Amino acid sequence: MNPIPIIYQNQEIFIINKKAGMPVQGGEKIAHPLDEELAKQVGQKVYLVHRLDKDTSGLMIVAKSPQAANKWTKLIGSKEVKKEYIAICAGSLKEKKGEISEDIIQHGQTKRAVTHYQVEKEWTIEREEEAIPMCRIRLLLETGRMHQIRIHLAKQGCPIAGDDQHGNFKLNKVLRKAAGIKNLQLYSVKLVLPLNGKMETFINDGVLGAEPLGEGVANNEV
């Protein structure tokens, strides 16, 4: 297995670039989870501060001790840490910038969930029988519920391409053939966090999907 890229580290945390398809936490029948693989790589136990879905790639904070994990979990909960994502979606949003505020049910409980978004680019994938509208959206989480971005965008009629759980399975099959989209198109691209008395920004420049997929068979870009 290839090493997990470490973008930054200090005495408390690692900032790593998680690849798509890697689960973050071990368990029964879960192979090569991030917490186990990173621990082997750095020679010490690591502690999860927050999570990314298995199929989501990009920047993530991992702590070096239980004390650090507790500190950084509270920082994320207090919104001192800002997390931005890029999603490639099938569909369009009427308002190109705004806020999605819709509760999410988790473990039988209703949780407040807020996602801020801005549409960065729109284009169309043309097929013989239909034109598929596509867009690239930048998202900033105000709350961090499980699958929040995926659920919010799907409920707006603009599901993330490659999301078979919350999105459009039938359309995803079309996109696989028409544009080569095989995986969930959601990426953690930016972290802003307090370090050494100031706010530091980390950006994942090499994220796949940051440019529109399927442009070779697309037109009507906006």
Side-chain angles (χ1 to χ4, degrees), residues 92-111:
S92 62
L93 294 172
K94 183 177 180 180
E95 301 294 332
K96 305 311 176 187
K97 183 177 181 180
E99 173 187 295
I100 303 170
S101 180
E102 188 166 346
D103 293 345
I104 290 175
I105 298 176
Q106 290 185 348
H107 309 297
Q109 294 184 323
T110 300
K111 301 284 188 177

Side-chain angles (χ1 to χ4, degrees), residues 181-198:
I181 298 175
K182 300 178 182 179
N183 303 308
L184 178 71
Q185 300 299 298
L186 179 62
Y187 310 91
S188 171
V189 295
K190 184 177 179 180
L191 288 173
V192 181
L193 58 158
L195 289 172
N196 306 317
K198 61 181 180 179

